[in-house]
Amino acid sequence: IKINTIMSEFFRTQMGRKLIDGDIPKLVNVLERIANQMEKKNKLEEKKFILEEKIQKLSIRESKNK
């Protein structure tokens, strides 16, 4: 039996339909949510890094002016 035949038969079963119609779309949705959260986290970390750099530069300036 060819793999293509096995796969097409699987997708005709109740379990195969559930996988295609339910599980895979849910999985894609969860992966998109994870990606969005990682993107937000990276943007926040970048802003934090920039602010910390500015604070460090200001601290250095203040210590030189004393």
Side-chain angles (χ1 to χ4, degrees):
I1 299 176
K2 290 184 178 179
I3 290 179
N4 290 342
T5 307
I6 293 170
M7 293 305 287
S8 66
E9 288 176 10
F10 171 72
F11 291 122
R12 288 188 203 135
T13 66
Q14 184 178 0
M15 191 180 213
R17 294 291 355 138
K18 179 183 176 288
L19 179 71
I20 292 294
D21 295 336
D23 296 336
I24 291 177
K26 285 179 187 176
L27 180 62
V28 169
N29 186 354
V30 168
L31 290 173
E32 286 173 345
R33 287 176 45 211
I34 291 169
N36 288 336
Q37 290 301 315
M38 289 178 73
E39 230 176 279
K40 287 178 184 178
K41 182 180 182 283
N42 286 341
K43 286 179 183 176
L44 286 173
E45 295 231 349
E46 187 177 346
K47 286 180 181 179
K48 179 183 172 189
F49 178 77
I50 290 169
L51 286 173
E52 286 173 347
E53 268 189 334
K54 287 180 180 180
I55 289 170
Q56 188 176 19
K57 287 178 183 177
L58 286 171
S59 303
I60 291 170
R61 268 194 218 140
E62 283 181 4
S63 65
K64 285 181 180 178
N65 290 336
K66 288 183 178 182

